[in-house]
Amino acid sequence: MTETPNVDDTLFQTFDPARLFEAQRSTHAPRILVLYGSLRERSYSRLLAEEAGRILTRLGAEVRFFDPKGLPLPDAEDANHPKVSELRELAQWAEGMVWSSPERHGAMTSVMKAQIDWIPLSLGGVRPTQGKTLALLQVCGGSQSFNTVNQMRILGRWMRMLTIPNQSSVAKAFHEFDAAGRMLPSAYYNRVVDVMEELVKFTWLTRDLNDYLLDRYSERVETAEELSQRVNQKSL
Protein backbone atom coordinates (compact mmCIF):
# COMPACT_ATOMS: atom_id res chain seq x y z
CA MET A 1 0.00 0.00 0.00
CA THR A 2 1.88 3.06 -1.26
CA GLU A 3 -1.01 5.25 -2.34
CA THR A 4 -1.01 8.67 -0.66
CA PRO A 5 -3.78 10.60 -2.39
CA ASN A 6 -3.59 13.46 0.11
CA VAL A 7 0.05 14.19 -0.74
CA ASP A 8 0.83 16.85 -3.30
CA ASP A 9 3.37 15.09 -5.51
CA THR A 10 4.76 18.39 -6.81
CA LEU A 11 5.83 19.30 -3.27
CA PHE A 12 6.72 15.85 -1.91
CA GLN A 13 10.44 15.06 -1.72
CA THR A 14 12.12 11.70 -1.25
CA PHE A 15 15.30 11.47 0.79
CA ASP A 16 18.31 12.99 -0.96
CA PRO A 17 21.54 11.68 0.63
CA ALA A 18 23.65 14.07 -1.43
CA ARG A 19 22.18 17.02 0.44
CA LEU A 20 23.35 15.47 3.73
CA PHE A 21 26.63 13.80 2.90
CA GLU A 22 27.98 15.99 0.11
CA ALA A 23 27.13 19.38 1.58
CA GLN A 24 29.88 21.97 1.71
CA ARG A 25 31.13 22.31 5.29
CA SER A 26 32.04 25.47 7.18
CA THR A 27 35.45 25.59 8.83
CA HIS A 28 34.98 28.41 11.37
CA ALA A 29 34.79 27.67 15.09
CA PRO A 30 31.31 26.65 16.28
CA ARG A 31 29.56 29.69 17.78
CA ILE A 32 28.06 28.87 21.18
CA LEU A 33 25.95 31.18 23.37
CA VAL A 34 25.78 30.37 27.09
CA LEU A 35 22.83 31.45 29.26
CA TYR A 36 22.57 31.01 33.02
CA GLY A 37 19.65 31.45 35.37
CA SER A 38 20.74 33.25 38.54
CA LEU A 39 21.73 36.78 39.59
CA ARG A 40 23.40 35.81 42.87
CA GLU A 41 26.94 37.04 43.48
CA ARG A 42 28.06 33.42 43.89
CA SER A 43 25.76 31.82 41.38
CA TYR A 44 26.42 28.13 40.93
CA SER A 45 24.54 28.04 37.63
CA ARG A 46 26.88 30.80 36.40
CA LEU A 47 29.96 29.02 37.74
CA LEU A 48 28.83 25.83 36.00
CA ALA A 49 28.18 27.80 32.81
CA GLU A 50 31.65 29.35 33.00
CA GLU A 51 33.22 25.91 33.49
CA ALA A 52 31.29 24.67 30.46
CA GLY A 53 32.54 27.69 28.51
CA ARG A 54 36.16 26.85 29.33
CA ILE A 55 35.66 23.29 28.12
CA LEU A 56 33.95 24.50 24.94
CA THR A 57 36.84 26.85 24.25
CA ARG A 58 39.31 23.98 24.62
CA LEU A 59 37.16 22.01 22.18
CA GLY A 60 37.62 24.77 19.60
CA ALA A 61 34.36 26.68 19.99
CA GLU A 62 33.88 30.44 20.08
CA VAL A 63 31.93 31.12 23.28
CA ARG A 64 29.91 34.15 24.34
CA PHE A 65 27.91 34.69 27.54
CA PHE A 66 24.81 36.74 28.18
CA ASP A 67 24.59 38.46 31.58
CA PRO A 68 20.88 38.49 32.53
CA LYS A 69 21.29 41.31 35.05
CA GLY A 70 19.11 44.19 33.92
CA LEU A 71 16.98 42.15 31.53
CA PRO A 72 13.36 43.25 32.02
CA LEU A 73 10.51 40.84 32.50
CA PRO A 74 8.92 39.76 29.21
CA ASP A 75 6.46 42.40 27.95
CA ALA A 76 7.48 44.88 30.68
CA GLU A 77 9.51 46.74 28.03
CA ASP A 78 9.54 46.64 24.26
CA ALA A 79 12.08 44.77 22.17
CA ASN A 80 14.21 47.91 21.75
CA HIS A 81 15.42 47.64 25.35
CA PRO A 82 19.26 47.38 25.22
CA LYS A 83 19.41 44.07 27.10
CA VAL A 84 16.70 42.54 24.92
CA SER A 85 18.49 43.68 21.77
CA GLU A 86 21.77 42.25 23.08
CA LEU A 87 20.17 38.89 23.82
CA ARG A 88 18.44 38.67 20.45
CA GLU A 89 21.61 39.60 18.56
CA LEU A 90 23.52 36.88 20.41
CA ALA A 91 20.76 34.35 19.67
CA GLN A 92 21.04 35.12 15.96
CA TRP A 93 24.84 34.93 16.09
CA ALA A 94 24.92 31.55 17.81
CA GLU A 95 24.95 28.16 16.11
CA GLY A 96 24.37 26.40 19.42
CA MET A 97 23.51 27.22 23.02
CA VAL A 98 24.07 26.07 26.59
CA TRP A 99 21.32 26.72 29.15
CA SER A 100 22.38 26.42 32.80
CA SER A 101 19.76 26.96 35.51
CA PRO A 102 19.30 26.31 39.22
CA GLU A 103 16.28 24.34 40.30
CA ARG A 104 13.92 26.47 42.36
CA HIS A 105 10.59 25.13 43.66
CA GLY A 106 11.05 22.11 41.40
CA ALA A 107 11.46 24.18 38.24
CA MET A 108 13.80 26.46 36.33
CA THR A 109 14.19 29.98 37.67
CA SER A 110 12.28 33.01 36.42
CA VAL A 111 15.63 34.50 35.36
CA MET A 112 16.21 31.54 33.03
CA LYS A 113 12.66 31.51 31.69
CA ALA A 114 12.67 35.27 31.04
CA GLN A 115 15.72 34.94 28.79
CA ILE A 116 14.09 32.18 26.78
CA ASP A 117 10.81 34.11 26.56
CA TRP A 118 12.59 37.16 25.14
CA ILE A 119 13.96 35.08 22.26
CA PRO A 120 11.10 35.07 19.73
CA LEU A 121 10.07 32.12 17.60
CA SER A 122 10.24 34.45 14.61
CA LEU A 123 12.28 37.61 14.10
CA GLY A 124 12.05 39.47 10.81
CA GLY A 125 10.85 36.32 9.04
CA VAL A 126 13.74 34.28 10.52
CA ARG A 127 13.42 31.81 13.39
CA PRO A 128 16.48 32.70 15.48
CA THR A 129 16.70 29.35 17.31
CA GLN A 130 15.40 26.86 14.74
CA GLY A 131 17.89 24.10 13.97
CA LYS A 132 20.51 25.32 16.44
CA THR A 133 21.97 22.86 18.90
CA LEU A 134 21.28 23.03 22.63
CA ALA A 135 22.89 21.52 25.74
CA LEU A 136 21.22 21.58 29.16
CA LEU A 137 22.76 21.92 32.63
CA GLN A 138 21.25 22.37 36.07
CA VAL A 139 22.50 22.81 39.62
CA CYS A 140 20.67 21.53 42.68
CA GLY A 141 20.83 22.78 46.25
CA GLY A 142 20.12 19.29 47.55
CA SER A 143 19.92 15.81 46.08
CA GLN A 144 20.10 15.29 42.35
CA SER A 145 17.01 16.17 40.37
CA PHE A 146 16.21 16.40 36.67
CA ASN A 147 13.13 18.62 36.83
CA THR A 148 14.86 21.67 35.39
CA VAL A 149 16.71 19.99 32.53
CA ASN A 150 13.50 18.16 31.62
CA GLN A 151 11.57 21.44 31.55
CA MET A 152 14.24 23.12 29.47
CA ARG A 153 14.25 20.17 27.08
CA ILE A 154 10.55 20.82 26.40
CA LEU A 155 11.33 24.50 25.80
CA GLY A 156 14.19 23.62 23.48
CA ARG A 157 11.85 21.48 21.40
CA TRP A 158 9.29 24.31 21.36
CA MET A 159 12.03 26.67 20.12
CA ARG A 160 12.74 24.09 17.36
CA MET A 161 16.24 23.48 18.61
CA LEU A 162 18.25 20.27 18.26
CA THR A 163 18.57 19.42 21.95
CA ILE A 164 21.37 16.89 22.38
CA PRO A 165 20.63 13.61 24.22
CA ASN A 166 23.13 14.09 27.05
CA GLN A 167 22.59 16.51 29.94
CA SER A 168 24.07 17.33 33.35
CA SER A 169 22.54 17.80 36.79
CA VAL A 170 24.91 18.71 39.62
CA ALA A 171 23.66 17.80 43.11
CA LYS A 172 24.62 19.82 46.21
CA ALA A 173 26.40 22.31 43.99
CA PHE A 174 27.82 24.19 46.98
CA HIS A 175 30.17 21.21 47.50
CA GLU A 176 31.34 21.09 43.87
CA PHE A 177 33.16 24.43 43.49
CA ASP A 178 36.21 25.82 45.25
CA ALA A 179 36.60 29.30 46.74
CA ALA A 180 37.76 30.67 43.39
CA GLY A 181 34.62 29.38 41.69
CA ARG A 182 36.28 26.51 39.81
CA MET A 183 34.51 23.17 39.60
CA LEU A 184 36.23 20.39 41.53
CA PRO A 185 37.14 17.03 39.98
CA SER A 186 34.22 14.61 40.22
CA ALA A 187 31.88 12.42 38.23
CA TYR A 188 29.72 15.54 37.84
CA TYR A 189 32.62 17.39 36.23
CA ASN A 190 33.27 14.47 33.89
CA ARG A 191 29.62 14.55 32.79
CA VAL A 192 29.89 18.26 31.97
CA VAL A 193 32.85 17.45 29.72
CA ASP A 194 30.76 14.71 28.08
CA VAL A 195 27.91 17.13 27.41
CA MET A 196 30.16 19.81 25.92
CA GLU A 197 31.91 17.26 23.69
CA GLU A 198 28.54 16.10 22.42
CA LEU A 199 27.33 19.65 21.84
CA VAL A 200 30.37 20.52 19.73
CA LYS A 201 30.04 17.31 17.69
CA PHE A 202 26.35 17.86 17.01
CA THR A 203 26.98 21.50 16.09
CA TRP A 204 29.68 20.55 13.58
CA LEU A 205 27.44 17.81 12.23
CA THR A 206 24.27 19.84 11.68
CA ARG A 207 25.00 23.56 11.31
CA ASP A 208 25.51 23.48 7.53
CA LEU A 209 22.50 21.23 6.93
CA ASN A 210 19.70 23.34 8.37
CA ASP A 211 18.26 24.25 4.97
CA TYR A 212 17.69 20.56 4.29
CA LEU A 213 17.01 19.23 7.79
CA LEU A 214 14.35 21.90 8.37
CA ASP A 215 12.74 21.74 4.94
CA ARG A 216 9.20 20.56 5.81
CA TYR A 217 6.47 19.31 3.53
CA SER A 218 3.72 21.18 5.43
CA GLU A 219 5.57 24.47 5.08
CA ARG A 220 6.18 23.89 1.37
CA VAL A 221 2.42 23.34 0.97
CA GLU A 222 1.61 26.49 2.93
CA THR A 223 4.10 28.55 0.92
CA ALA A 224 2.71 27.25 -2.36
CA GLU A 225 -0.84 28.13 -1.30
CA GLU A 226 0.19 31.66 -0.28
CA LEU A 227 2.02 32.13 -3.58
CA SER A 228 -1.01 30.90 -5.54
CA GLN A 229 -3.33 33.28 -3.73
CA ARG A 230 -1.01 36.21 -4.32
CA VAL A 231 -0.50 35.48 -8.02
CA ASN A 232 -4.16 34.75 -8.70
CA GLN A 233 -5.73 37.53 -6.69
CA LYS A 234 -8.03 39.77 -8.67
CA SER A 235 -6.85 43.29 -9.30
CA LEU A 236 -8.95 45.98 -7.64
Side-chain angles (χ1 to χ4, degrees):
M1 297 292 291
T2 59
E3 296 83 1
T4 52
N6 294 328
V7 170
D8 185 339
D9 289 337
T10 64
L11 299 173
F12 184 76
Q13 297 177 1
T14 57
F15 174 62
D16 182 1
R19 294 185 66 182
L20 282 180
F21 304 121
E22 298 176 19
Q24 185 173 356
R25 297 289 182 164
S26 300
T27 58
H28 64 270
R31 300 192 295 261
I32 307 297
L33 170 63
V34 182
L35 307 179
Y36 54 89
S38 172
L39 301 178
R40 290 179 176 176
E41 182 176 353
R42 185 171 172 84
S43 162
Y44 293 109
S45 66
R46 176 177 55 80
L47 296 179
L48 182 61
E50 290 173 347
E51 204 67 42
R54 296 182 186 100
I55 297 165
L56 286 168
T57 301
R58 284 207 62 188
L59 291 167
E62 180 182 356
V63 180
R64 296 184 186 179
F65 290 83
F66 176 73
D67 180 357
K69 186 176 294 184
L71 182 71
L73 289 173
D75 302 325
E77 300 281 350
D78 63 32
N80 294 320
H81 188 282
K83 291 298 291 187
V84 176
S85 297
E86 178 190 354
L87 175 59
R88 291 186 173 189
E89 288 171 6
L90 286 169
Q92 290 183 294
W93 166 85
E95 296 169 328
M97 294 189 193
V98 176
W99 296 351
S100 175
S101 177
E103 180 169 313
R104 182 171 294 171
H105 302 311
M108 77 186 77
T109 62
S110 58
V111 174
M112 190 75 243
K113 185 61 162 57
Q115 293 173 81
I116 299 168
D117 284 347
W118 270 120
I119 302 173
L121 290 174
S122 181
L123 186 61
V126 176
R127 295 186 176 97
T129 54
Q130 179 170 237
K132 297 182 180 184
T133 52
L134 173 63
L136 305 173
L137 310 174
Q138 80 168 77
V139 293
C140 308
S143 58
Q144 191 175 44
S145 163
F146 298 93
N147 292 325
T148 296
V149 286
N150 289 339
Q151 279 191 328
M152 293 193 295
R153 189 169 292 275
I154 292 171
L155 283 173
R157 184 185 66 198
W158 192 258
M159 303 296 282
R160 295 188 174 185
M161 303 184 77
L162 298 174
T163 309
I164 65 170
N166 214 339
Q167 60 189 24
S168 173
S169 173
V170 179
K172 297 182 180 179
F174 54 90
H175 285 321
E176 300 301 324
F177 295 85
D178 64 20
R182 295 303 305 270
M183 193 171 185
L184 299 169
S186 69
Y188 293 130
Y189 180 86
N190 294 345
R191 173 59 68 89
V192 175
V193 177
D194 289 349
V195 175
M196 295 307 108
E197 282 184 337
E198 191 170 291
L199 176 64
V200 170
K201 291 173 185 176
F202 272 74
T203 305
W204 274 103
L205 184 66
T206 62
R207 66 179 180 179
D208 296 312
L209 302 172
N210 280 349
D211 287 346
Y212 184 49
L213 293 175
L214 304 175
D215 184 8
R216 299 181 176 92
Y217 171 77
S218 63
E219 294 178 358
R220 293 196 297 272
V221 170
E222 183 179 7
T223 300
E225 290 175 350
E226 291 173 352
L227 176 62
S228 177
Q229 291 175 5
R230 186 169 68 250
V231 170
N232 295 315
Q233 65 184 347
K234 295 180 179 179
S235 59
L236 298 177

